[in-house]
Amino acid sequence: MNLQESPSLTPTQIELELPAKPLMTPFREPAADGFALGGFTWRHATADRSRAVVIINAATSVRCRHYSRFAEYLCAHGFDVITYDYRGIGESRPTSMKNLDASWSDWGYLDFEAMLKRAQREFPGQPIDVVGHSFGGCAAGLASSGPLIRRLVTVGAQFAYWRDYTPDLRWRMFGKWHVVMPLVTWFCGYFPGKRLGWLEDTPAGVVRDWSRSAPRFEQCPSGRVLAAKVGQLPFAIVTAKTLAISLSDDPYGTVAAIERLLSYFSRSANTHLRIDPQDIGEQQVGHFGFFRSPYQATLWPIALSWLQHGELTPDHPGRQVPRS
Protein backbone atom coordinates (compact mmCIF):
# COMPACT_ATOMS: atom_id res chain seq x y z
CA MET A 1 0.00 0.00 0.00
CA ASN A 2 1.26 3.50 -0.86
CA LEU A 3 0.68 5.64 2.24
CA GLN A 4 0.89 8.82 0.15
CA GLU A 5 -2.17 7.67 -1.78
CA SER A 6 -4.21 7.21 1.43
CA PRO A 7 -4.43 10.63 3.11
CA SER A 8 -7.51 9.57 5.07
CA LEU A 9 -5.48 7.18 7.25
CA THR A 10 -4.88 8.37 10.82
CA PRO A 11 -1.38 7.98 12.40
CA THR A 12 -2.73 5.11 14.53
CA GLN A 13 -4.05 3.32 11.43
CA ILE A 14 -0.72 3.81 9.67
CA GLU A 15 1.13 2.22 12.62
CA LEU A 16 -1.22 -0.75 12.45
CA GLU A 17 -0.60 -1.14 8.72
CA LEU A 18 3.20 -1.19 9.08
CA PRO A 19 4.96 -4.40 10.18
CA ALA A 20 6.24 -4.30 13.73
CA LYS A 21 10.02 -4.01 13.94
CA PRO A 22 11.49 -6.47 16.48
CA LEU A 23 13.00 -4.66 19.43
CA MET A 24 16.05 -5.55 21.50
CA THR A 25 14.61 -6.79 24.79
CA PRO A 26 16.75 -7.68 27.83
CA PHE A 27 16.52 -10.97 29.69
CA ARG A 28 18.04 -12.82 32.64
CA GLU A 29 18.75 -16.54 32.39
CA PRO A 30 20.22 -18.79 35.10
CA ALA A 31 22.96 -21.20 34.11
CA ALA A 32 22.85 -24.76 35.46
CA ASP A 33 24.82 -23.68 38.54
CA GLY A 34 22.43 -20.79 39.19
CA PHE A 35 24.66 -17.96 37.94
CA ALA A 36 22.46 -15.23 36.44
CA LEU A 37 23.36 -14.38 32.84
CA GLY A 38 22.17 -11.26 31.07
CA GLY A 39 21.50 -10.74 27.40
CA PHE A 40 19.14 -9.48 24.72
CA THR A 41 16.62 -10.98 22.33
CA TRP A 42 15.38 -9.85 18.94
CA ARG A 43 12.08 -11.69 18.46
CA HIS A 44 9.60 -11.41 15.61
CA ALA A 45 6.01 -10.70 16.56
CA THR A 46 4.69 -14.03 15.30
CA ALA A 47 6.24 -17.43 15.84
CA ASP A 48 7.36 -19.45 12.83
CA ARG A 49 8.79 -22.95 13.23
CA SER A 50 10.67 -22.55 9.94
CA ARG A 51 12.48 -19.44 11.22
CA ALA A 52 15.87 -20.14 12.81
CA VAL A 53 17.01 -18.49 16.01
CA VAL A 54 20.67 -17.42 16.04
CA ILE A 55 22.75 -17.35 19.22
CA ILE A 56 25.78 -15.06 19.04
CA ASN A 57 28.78 -16.12 21.16
CA ALA A 58 31.08 -13.20 21.91
CA ALA A 59 34.86 -13.08 21.88
CA THR A 60 36.78 -13.21 25.15
CA SER A 61 35.96 -10.14 27.24
CA VAL A 62 33.91 -8.43 24.53
CA ARG A 63 30.42 -7.28 25.55
CA CYS A 64 27.46 -8.68 23.67
CA ARG A 65 26.41 -5.13 22.77
CA HIS A 66 29.32 -5.12 20.29
CA TYR A 67 27.20 -7.47 18.13
CA SER A 68 23.92 -5.54 18.31
CA ARG A 69 24.09 -4.10 14.78
CA PHE A 70 24.87 -7.55 13.38
CA ALA A 71 21.97 -9.00 15.39
CA GLU A 72 19.65 -6.35 13.93
CA TYR A 73 20.88 -7.25 10.46
CA LEU A 74 20.13 -10.94 10.99
CA CYS A 75 16.73 -10.08 12.41
CA ALA A 76 15.93 -7.90 9.39
CA HIS A 77 16.70 -10.92 7.21
CA GLY A 78 14.27 -13.20 8.97
CA PHE A 79 16.02 -14.61 12.04
CA ASP A 80 15.24 -14.38 15.73
CA VAL A 81 18.45 -13.56 17.61
CA ILE A 82 19.91 -14.02 21.09
CA THR A 83 22.99 -12.18 22.33
CA TYR A 84 24.36 -12.61 25.85
CA ASP A 85 27.37 -11.98 28.05
CA TYR A 86 29.44 -14.71 29.66
CA ARG A 87 29.66 -14.65 33.45
CA GLY A 88 31.81 -11.74 34.58
CA ILE A 89 31.27 -9.65 31.44
CA GLY A 90 28.86 -6.80 30.67
CA GLU A 91 25.25 -7.74 31.46
CA SER A 92 26.51 -10.76 33.45
CA ARG A 93 29.01 -8.91 35.63
CA PRO A 94 28.61 -9.41 39.40
CA THR A 95 29.13 -6.68 41.97
CA SER A 96 32.64 -7.92 42.74
CA MET A 97 35.00 -9.54 40.24
CA LYS A 98 37.62 -10.57 42.79
CA ASN A 99 35.84 -13.66 44.08
CA LEU A 100 34.30 -14.73 40.78
CA ASP A 101 35.07 -18.33 39.85
CA ALA A 102 34.81 -18.39 36.05
CA SER A 103 36.80 -19.98 33.24
CA TRP A 104 36.70 -20.51 29.50
CA SER A 105 35.13 -23.92 30.08
CA ASP A 106 32.44 -22.38 32.28
CA TRP A 107 31.65 -19.93 29.48
CA GLY A 108 30.98 -22.81 27.11
CA TYR A 109 29.84 -25.73 29.27
CA LEU A 110 27.58 -23.64 31.54
CA ASP A 111 26.82 -20.29 29.91
CA PHE A 112 26.45 -21.22 26.25
CA GLU A 113 24.62 -24.35 27.34
CA ALA A 114 22.11 -22.13 29.15
CA MET A 115 21.53 -20.17 25.93
CA LEU A 116 20.91 -23.34 23.94
CA LYS A 117 18.34 -24.40 26.53
CA ARG A 118 16.77 -20.93 26.45
CA ALA A 119 16.52 -20.98 22.67
CA GLN A 120 14.92 -24.40 22.80
CA ARG A 121 12.40 -23.21 25.40
CA GLU A 122 11.65 -19.72 24.08
CA PHE A 123 11.56 -20.68 20.39
CA PRO A 124 10.12 -24.22 20.45
CA GLY A 125 10.55 -26.21 17.28
CA GLN A 126 12.71 -23.58 15.55
CA PRO A 127 16.15 -24.50 14.20
CA ILE A 128 19.06 -23.18 16.27
CA ASP A 129 22.08 -21.63 14.55
CA VAL A 130 25.18 -20.12 16.16
CA VAL A 131 27.67 -17.39 15.29
CA GLY A 132 30.88 -17.51 17.31
CA HIS A 133 33.54 -14.79 17.36
CA SER A 134 37.07 -15.72 18.49
CA PHE A 135 36.69 -17.83 21.66
CA GLY A 136 32.95 -17.84 20.94
CA GLY A 137 33.65 -20.40 18.23
CA CYS A 138 35.39 -22.60 20.77
CA ALA A 139 32.54 -22.15 23.25
CA ALA A 140 30.19 -23.56 20.59
CA GLY A 141 31.89 -26.92 21.03
CA LEU A 142 31.80 -27.06 24.83
CA ALA A 143 28.06 -27.40 25.54
CA SER A 144 26.44 -30.75 26.16
CA SER A 145 23.46 -29.67 24.01
CA GLY A 146 25.73 -29.12 21.01
CA PRO A 147 23.74 -31.52 18.80
CA LEU A 148 20.96 -28.90 18.75
CA ILE A 149 23.06 -26.62 16.54
CA ARG A 150 21.99 -26.78 12.89
CA ARG A 151 24.52 -24.37 11.33
CA LEU A 152 27.59 -22.69 12.78
CA VAL A 153 29.53 -19.66 11.56
CA THR A 154 32.78 -18.78 13.31
CA VAL A 155 34.88 -15.65 12.79
CA GLY A 156 38.55 -15.65 13.78
CA ALA A 157 37.78 -18.57 16.10
CA GLN A 158 40.63 -20.11 18.10
CA PHE A 159 41.73 -20.59 21.72
CA ALA A 160 44.79 -18.30 21.81
CA TYR A 161 47.64 -20.79 21.63
CA TRP A 162 50.53 -18.35 21.46
CA ARG A 163 52.57 -20.20 18.83
CA ASP A 164 49.68 -19.67 16.41
CA TYR A 165 49.89 -15.88 16.65
CA THR A 166 51.09 -14.15 13.50
CA PRO A 167 54.93 -14.36 13.47
CA ASP A 168 55.70 -10.64 13.18
CA LEU A 169 53.65 -9.82 16.31
CA ARG A 170 53.98 -13.08 18.24
CA TRP A 171 56.41 -11.99 20.95
CA ARG A 172 54.71 -8.65 21.53
CA MET A 173 51.37 -10.43 21.90
CA PHE A 174 52.95 -13.06 24.13
CA GLY A 175 54.31 -10.35 26.43
CA LYS A 176 50.96 -8.55 26.59
CA TRP A 177 48.57 -11.46 27.04
CA HIS A 178 50.73 -14.17 28.58
CA VAL A 179 53.01 -12.12 30.85
CA VAL A 180 51.55 -8.70 31.67
CA MET A 181 47.90 -9.75 31.81
CA PRO A 182 48.41 -12.62 34.33
CA LEU A 183 50.74 -10.47 36.46
CA VAL A 184 48.18 -7.66 36.69
CA THR A 185 45.48 -10.25 37.41
CA TRP A 186 47.53 -11.76 40.23
CA PHE A 187 47.90 -8.32 41.79
CA CYS A 188 44.25 -7.24 41.39
CA GLY A 189 42.39 -10.55 41.74
CA TYR A 190 40.91 -10.06 38.26
CA PHE A 191 42.08 -8.35 35.09
CA PRO A 192 40.99 -4.67 35.08
CA GLY A 193 40.94 -4.54 31.30
CA LYS A 194 38.43 -1.73 31.02
CA ARG A 195 40.61 0.60 33.09
CA LEU A 196 43.63 -0.26 30.95
CA GLY A 197 41.78 -0.06 27.64
CA TRP A 198 42.36 -3.79 27.06
CA LEU A 199 38.85 -5.16 26.47
CA GLU A 200 36.48 -5.63 29.44
CA ASP A 201 37.34 -6.56 33.02
CA THR A 202 38.00 -10.29 32.98
CA PRO A 203 37.71 -13.07 35.59
CA ALA A 204 40.98 -14.50 36.89
CA GLY A 205 40.10 -18.03 35.75
CA VAL A 206 39.65 -16.88 32.16
CA VAL A 207 42.99 -15.06 32.30
CA ARG A 208 44.57 -18.26 33.60
CA ASP A 209 43.19 -20.24 30.66
CA TRP A 210 44.30 -17.64 28.12
CA SER A 211 47.78 -17.07 29.53
CA ARG A 212 48.43 -20.81 29.92
CA SER A 213 46.91 -21.88 26.62
CA ALA A 214 48.45 -24.96 25.05
CA PRO A 215 48.41 -26.86 21.74
CA ARG A 216 45.34 -28.80 22.93
CA PHE A 217 42.36 -27.18 24.64
CA GLU A 218 42.21 -30.01 27.15
CA GLN A 219 45.72 -29.00 28.26
CA CYS A 220 44.70 -25.51 29.39
CA PRO A 221 43.71 -25.30 33.10
CA SER A 222 39.92 -25.45 32.85
CA GLY A 223 40.09 -27.72 29.80
CA ARG A 224 41.77 -30.37 31.93
CA VAL A 225 39.07 -30.03 34.57
CA LEU A 226 36.23 -30.28 32.04
CA ALA A 227 37.81 -33.23 30.23
CA ALA A 228 38.15 -35.08 33.54
CA LYS A 229 34.57 -34.23 34.48
CA VAL A 230 32.82 -35.28 31.29
CA GLY A 231 35.33 -37.87 30.08
CA GLN A 232 35.66 -36.28 26.64
CA LEU A 233 35.28 -32.68 25.51
CA PRO A 234 31.89 -32.19 23.82
CA PHE A 235 33.21 -30.87 20.46
CA ALA A 236 32.68 -34.17 18.67
CA ILE A 237 28.93 -34.22 19.42
CA VAL A 238 28.43 -31.09 17.30
CA THR A 239 27.25 -32.03 13.81
CA ALA A 240 26.43 -28.53 12.57
CA LYS A 241 27.44 -27.58 9.06
CA THR A 242 30.28 -25.17 9.88
CA LEU A 243 31.80 -22.17 8.13
CA ALA A 244 35.01 -20.82 9.65
CA ILE A 245 35.79 -17.30 8.40
CA SER A 246 39.27 -15.88 8.92
CA LEU A 247 40.90 -12.60 7.90
CA SER A 248 44.47 -12.56 6.67
CA ASP A 249 45.31 -9.50 8.82
CA ASP A 250 43.94 -11.03 12.04
CA PRO A 251 46.99 -11.67 14.26
CA TYR A 252 45.05 -14.18 16.39
CA GLY A 253 43.16 -15.97 13.60
CA THR A 254 46.01 -17.37 11.55
CA VAL A 255 45.40 -20.41 9.38
CA ALA A 256 47.13 -22.60 11.97
CA ALA A 257 44.94 -21.24 14.78
CA ILE A 258 41.68 -21.67 12.85
CA GLU A 259 42.59 -25.17 11.72
CA ARG A 260 43.62 -26.15 15.24
CA LEU A 261 40.13 -25.41 16.53
CA LEU A 262 38.33 -26.81 13.47
CA SER A 263 40.03 -30.16 14.00
CA TYR A 264 37.98 -30.58 17.19
CA PHE A 265 34.69 -30.44 15.25
CA SER A 266 35.36 -33.87 13.83
CA ARG A 267 31.73 -34.75 13.04
CA SER A 268 30.91 -31.47 11.31
CA ALA A 269 31.19 -30.69 7.62
CA ASN A 270 33.70 -27.83 7.87
CA THR A 271 34.57 -25.08 5.38
CA HIS A 272 37.37 -22.58 6.07
CA LEU A 273 37.09 -19.33 4.12
CA ARG A 274 40.22 -17.12 4.19
CA ILE A 275 39.63 -13.48 3.24
CA ASP A 276 42.22 -10.80 2.50
CA PRO A 277 40.98 -7.24 3.23
CA GLN A 278 41.92 -6.30 -0.35
CA ASP A 279 39.35 -8.86 -1.53
CA ILE A 280 36.65 -6.46 -0.34
CA GLY A 281 38.46 -3.24 -1.19
CA GLU A 282 39.75 -2.57 2.34
CA GLN A 283 43.21 -2.06 3.78
CA GLN A 284 42.47 -3.79 7.08
CA VAL A 285 39.74 -5.59 8.98
CA GLY A 286 41.62 -7.33 11.79
CA HIS A 287 40.27 -9.43 14.61
CA PHE A 288 37.34 -7.24 15.65
CA GLY A 289 36.29 -5.54 12.42
CA PHE A 290 33.95 -8.17 10.93
CA PHE A 291 30.98 -7.27 13.15
CA ARG A 292 31.22 -3.51 12.62
CA SER A 293 28.53 -1.93 10.46
CA PRO A 294 30.89 -0.65 7.70
CA TYR A 295 31.18 -4.29 6.59
CA GLN A 296 27.44 -4.88 6.31
CA ALA A 297 27.55 -4.92 2.51
CA THR A 298 30.77 -6.88 2.06
CA LEU A 299 31.28 -9.37 4.91
CA TRP A 300 27.93 -9.85 6.61
CA PRO A 301 26.27 -11.45 3.55
CA ILE A 302 28.81 -14.29 3.76
CA ALA A 303 27.57 -15.28 7.21
CA LEU A 304 23.96 -14.61 6.22
CA SER A 305 24.12 -16.95 3.22
CA TRP A 306 25.56 -19.73 5.33
CA LEU A 307 22.90 -19.34 8.00
CA GLN A 308 20.13 -19.21 5.40
CA HIS A 309 21.26 -21.96 3.05
CA GLY A 310 24.30 -23.71 4.53
CA GLU A 311 26.49 -22.69 1.62
CA LEU A 312 28.61 -19.88 0.25
CA THR A 313 27.38 -17.59 -2.50
CA PRO A 314 29.13 -18.17 -5.86
CA ASP A 315 30.65 -14.67 -5.82
CA HIS A 316 32.00 -14.78 -2.27
CA PRO A 317 35.34 -13.04 -1.59
CA GLY A 318 38.40 -14.95 -0.42
CA ARG A 319 39.50 -18.50 -0.95
CA GLN A 320 38.64 -21.80 0.66
CA VAL A 321 41.49 -23.37 2.63
CA PRO A 322 41.93 -27.00 1.53
CA ARG A 323 40.82 -29.49 4.17
CA SER A 324 43.54 -31.88 5.32
Side-chain angles (χ1 to χ4, degrees):
M1 179 186 69
N2 187 332
L3 297 179
Q4 293 179 340
E5 296 175 356
S6 304
S8 60
L9 286 177
T10 67
T12 300
Q13 288 174 315
I14 291 175
E15 289 176 5
L16 292 174
E17 292 277 345
L18 294 174
K21 180 181 178 181
L23 299 176
M24 182 178 79
T25 57
F27 68 81
R28 303 293 287 176
E29 179 75 23
D33 62 348
F35 193 98
L37 304 170
F40 301 94
T41 302
W42 285 259
R43 182 197 301 267
H44 288 263
T46 57
D48 184 345
R49 293 172 72 93
S50 67
R51 179 193 303 124
V53 52
V54 179
I55 302 172
I56 299 178
N57 285 350
T60 296
S61 303
V62 175
R63 297 187 67 162
C64 68
R65 289 176 182 268
H66 175 70
Y67 307 93
S68 293
R69 293 289 180 86
F70 183 70
E72 291 174 359
Y73 171 84
L74 293 180
C75 192
H77 285 83
F79 293 91
D80 294 314
V81 186
I82 295 173
T83 67
Y84 71 103
D85 282 312
Y86 308 119
R87 60 189 64 201
I89 308 298
E91 308 300 317
S92 304
R93 180 191 172 112
T95 304
S96 173
M97 291 286 288
K98 289 188 176 181
N99 299 316
L100 177 61
D101 182 16
S103 68
W104 264 347
S105 292
D106 292 333
W107 283 1
Y109 189 69
L110 296 174
D111 299 354
F112 174 55
E113 171 70 13
M115 294 305 117
L116 286 171
K117 293 292 189 183
R118 180 179 179 82
Q120 194 176 35
R121 182 186 72 246
E122 295 291 317
F123 301 91
Q126 295 181 217
I128 300 174
D129 296 338
V130 175
V131 173
H133 180 206
S134 193
F135 173 76
C138 184
L142 295 175
S144 57
S145 295
L148 293 174
I149 306 171
R150 179 188 65 162
R151 293 172 187 150
L152 171 63
V153 174
T154 68
V155 178
Q158 30 65 48
F159 49 89
Y161 176 48
W162 68 272
R163 289 187 181 275
D164 290 338
Y165 295 156
T166 192
D168 57 334
L169 296 176
R170 182 177 298 151
W171 291 110
R172 186 187 308 174
M173 294 170 67
F174 181 87
K176 181 176 182 177
W177 301 116
H178 300 263
V179 178
V180 176
M181 182 170 66
L183 284 175
V184 173
T185 301
W186 175 81
F187 182 78
C188 297
Y190 70 101
F191 182 65
K194 197 166 186 178
R195 200 182 321 161
L196 298 174
W198 296 9
L199 307 177
E200 294 291 313
D201 295 347
T202 306
V206 172
V207 172
R208 186 164 51 248
D209 281 336
W210 186 342
S211 62
R212 300 181 190 176
S213 58
R216 302 287 298 173
F217 184 79
E218 59 269 28
Q219 294 171 338
C220 80
S222 74
R224 288 196 299 270
V225 173
L226 181 59
K229 179 179 180 178
V230 303
Q232 183 179 1
L233 293 177
F235 291 99
I237 66 175
V238 177
T239 57
K241 196 169 185 181
T242 299
L243 172 64
I245 300 171
S246 66
L247 282 300
S248 64
D249 67 331
D250 178 355
Y252 302 92
T254 60
V255 171
I258 304 301
E259 291 295 314
R260 188 180 301 278
L261 177 60
L262 270 185
S263 69
Y264 278 89
F265 292 92
S266 57
R267 293 184 60 201
S268 300
N270 301 328
T271 298
H272 179 181
L273 180 65
R274 186 76 170 169
I275 302 172
D276 190 286
Q278 283 72 36
D279 295 337
I280 58 169
E282 300 287 347
Q283 293 301 310
Q284 60 181 22
V285 177
H287 189 62
F288 296 101
F290 184 97
F291 295 96
R292 292 174 178 148
S293 53
Y295 302 105
Q296 177 172 333
T298 53
L299 293 178
W300 293 5
I302 302 170
L304 178 65
S305 176
W306 194 269
L307 294 171
Q308 288 177 327
H309 310 295
E311 59 186 24
L312 293 166
T313 56
D315 58 347
H316 67 81
R319 63 179 180 84
Q320 292 187 44
V321 177
R323 308 300 307 142
S324 57

